Amino acid sequence: MGIIITNDDGIDAPGIRALYAALDGKKTIIAPKDHHSGCGHQVTTHKPLKITERSREEIAVHGTPADCSRIGISHLEPNADWVISGINAGGNLGVDLYISGTAAAAREAAILGKRAIAISHWIRESKPIDWDLATRLARIVFKELFTKNLPEKYFWNVNLPHVFTGEKEPILIFCEPSNDPLPVEFNRVGDEFYYRGEYPKRPRQQNTDVDVCFNGNIAISLVKV
């Protein structure tokens, strides 16, 4: 099985290393050279899209996550079976899908006819992520999703909970993405506005991905392009 691995935190982020460790098969990292969190589905069409080949299995793209899927599928690894994006340092739940570069890479892959997964890790109480645990949980997720039918023009969106030592083992729950808004709050200083919305205070409609993940379980949603 051939897999393109990408992200939006940049090719040197710890999350993409955790993702690489969680996957078997022929793996090629084709990821942004720089951090592109929150860039949405932006693509590069107005200038050349430069790549830096670090090795046969690792290519840095001077562009966005969606660019990585485009160039990976069309030229660099056209025979790949899957495009997997992550593991993002921070949740991509519900309406986050519209602004998430992580999700955009998976969405672009689905548009181009590839099976795809976006996987993120919610950060709770601003505590560090245990990336070894994230790798272990990701392996459980992939074991389940690789055996499931994935309709054309859909991708899986996965959010891992932030589990602390001694807490219960998370379970996989298939659920719908929340459509509730993010907290939109700003501090104004003169003519400048500073965002101060608190992610954990977002609405938690029961049984949606936000509710599932915030309750300590792995939220898995099937998302249509």
Side-chain angles (χ1 to χ4, degrees):
M1 182 167 65
I3 301 170
I4 292 172
I5 296 173
T6 192
N7 71 351
D8 76 355
D9 287 335
I11 196 167
D12 295 312
I16 203 168
R17 306 298 156 178
L19 178 57
Y20 187 90
L23 292 163
D24 297 318
K26 183 181 182 296
K27 302 173 287 187
T28 305
I29 293 176
I30 305 174
K33 174 183 174 292
D34 301 310
H35 191 277
H36 281 277
S37 183
C39 71
H41 210 112
Q42 179 182 348
V43 295
T44 302
T45 58
H46 61 285
K47 63 180 181 179
L49 192 57
K50 181 181 177 181
I51 66 168
T52 301
E53 297 188 59
R54 296 182 171 187
S55 71
R56 293 182 64 183
E57 297 180 347
E58 189 170 331
I59 300 168
V61 179
H62 298 235
T64 68
D67 286 333
C68 293
S69 290
R70 282 184 159 193
I71 200 73
I73 292 167
S74 64
H75 288 281
L76 301 176
E77 290 292 340
N79 295 321
D81 302 290
W82 287 86
V83 173
I84 303 182
S85 181
I87 298 172
N88 189 66
N92 278 307
L93 296 155
V95 294
D96 299 348
L97 288 166
Y98 293 99
I99 60 176
S100 166
T102 304
R107 186 187 302 111
E108 183 65 29
I111 290 169
L112 296 176
K114 296 292 184 179
R115 291 173 287 178
I117 300 170
I119 180 166
S120 305
H121 192 300
W122 175 46
I123 297 175
R124 176 177 156 201
E125 299 174 14
S126 300
K127 298 294 176 63
I129 293 173
D130 181 340
W131 288 113
D132 290 336
L133 176 58
T135 293
R136 183 172 68 80
L137 295 178
R139 287 195 189 107
I140 294 170
V141 169
F142 297 140
K143 184 177 180 181
E144 176 74 16
L145 294 187
F146 285 159
T147 64
K148 285 193 169 294
N149 178 57
L150 180 59
E152 290 186 11
K153 308 302 182 185
Y154 282 81
F155 66 95
W156 295 111
N157 187 52
V158 179
N159 279 274
L160 305 177
H162 204 151
V163 181
F164 296 155
T165 302
E167 295 182 332
K168 69 179 180 68
E169 184 81 0
I171 60 173
L172 277 63
I173 297 180
F174 289 84
C175 51
E176 293 295 319
S178 169
N179 60 8
D180 290 310
L182 286 162
V184 182
E185 299 175 27
F186 294 86
N187 284 332
R188 181 172 184 172
V189 180
D191 60 356
E192 296 180 331
F193 287 79
Y194 295 85
Y195 182 72
R196 64 178 183 89
E198 296 184 52
Y199 196 87
K201 292 184 178 180
R202 64 190 299 177
R204 296 175 59 175
Q205 188 175 345
Q206 190 173 15
N207 299 324
T208 62
D209 59 352
V210 175
D211 185 54
V212 167
C213 191
F214 282 15
N215 280 331
N217 292 307
I218 300 171
I220 304 177
S221 300
L222 185 61
V223 180
K224 191 177 189 303
V225 167

